[in-house]
Amino acid sequence: MSTVATSTNGRENTLHRAPESEKNVLGSILFLPEILPEVKAVVRPADFVDVTHRAAYREILALDRAGLPISVPMLCDRLRATTEFKGVDLREYWYDVTNSVATASHAAMYAEQILEMRRKRQRVEALEDALHDARNGHTSERIDRRKQHLVDSF
């Protein structure tokens, strides 16, 4: 039971998703918690499209900040009360996440895939916003600013 987050412009992020990479990052952290600093350097919770994966990563980061062990029982205790996991069987969720990982040592690669998908979503959103502005009679200066922002992001 996964849910896709909406983008900043209110549209669903259905393009450029990396659900397997999201699961692989989470599972890798559970298997090798020492790789978390490497993953944190690449991805933020907002980079996860699936809201359950996003909430799980947020809780992993909270456990790390608190100096607590990152484990399935600790995560289940913390996630049970969240809205993102309402109606989700946590044991099944974590079973699926941990069984998705082929090689935990590839966590940085999985994180890079998540980051690349975020960048692609941002480009699509910028293009959609510029198109919206052009269709709705906004000034060419505003459209040019959006276009320049898009060019700068490459």
Side-chain angles (χ1 to χ4, degrees):
M1 171 185 240
S2 63
T3 307
V4 176
T6 54
S7 64
T8 55
N9 60 15
R11 292 181 279 275
E12 245 189 31
N13 285 321
T14 55
L15 293 174
H16 306 299
R17 298 176 55 208
E20 291 304 315
S21 295
E22 291 181 7
K23 284 196 306 190
N24 290 337
V25 162
L26 298 172
S28 295
I29 293 167
L30 287 172
F31 288 128
L32 293 172
E34 62 270 16
I35 56 120
L36 183 56
E38 194 174 347
V39 172
K40 285 190 321 188
V42 177
V43 293
R44 310 169 316 228
D47 296 335
F48 288 76
V49 175
D50 185 296
V51 295
T52 54
H53 299 333
R54 179 183 297 169
Y57 185 59
R58 209 174 30 241
E59 288 305 322
I60 286 171
L61 295 177
L63 287 172
D64 182 57
R65 276 192 306 276
L68 297 169
I70 298 168
S71 67
V72 171
M74 291 288 286
L75 288 164
C76 286
D77 286 344
R78 295 175 71 112
L79 291 167
R80 191 168 282 116
T82 64
T83 57
E84 295 91 349
F85 278 86
K86 185 176 177 138
V88 175
D89 181 332
L90 285 162
R91 287 181 295 187
E92 185 179 313
Y93 172 80
W94 288 112
Y95 178 82
D96 183 46
V97 165
T98 56
N99 281 318
S100 72
V101 180
T103 307
S105 62
H106 291 165
M109 179 188 71
Y110 305 138
E112 288 291 338
Q113 291 168 347
I114 294 168
L115 178 63
E116 181 58 24
M117 292 300 108
R118 176 181 55 92
R119 288 178 178 150
K120 288 179 179 181
R121 287 190 308 273
Q122 287 175 325
R123 290 176 187 133
V124 168
E125 286 179 19
L127 288 167
E128 288 174 342
D129 289 343
L131 184 57
H132 179 267
D133 285 351
R135 286 183 174 154
N136 290 296
H138 289 285
T139 64
S140 58
E141 291 85 20
R142 180 175 169 169
I143 295 167
D144 287 344
R145 279 195 311 274
R146 287 196 187 276
K147 183 177 73 175
Q148 188 58 49
H149 176 71
L150 181 62
V151 169
D152 292 344
S153 73
F154 281 95

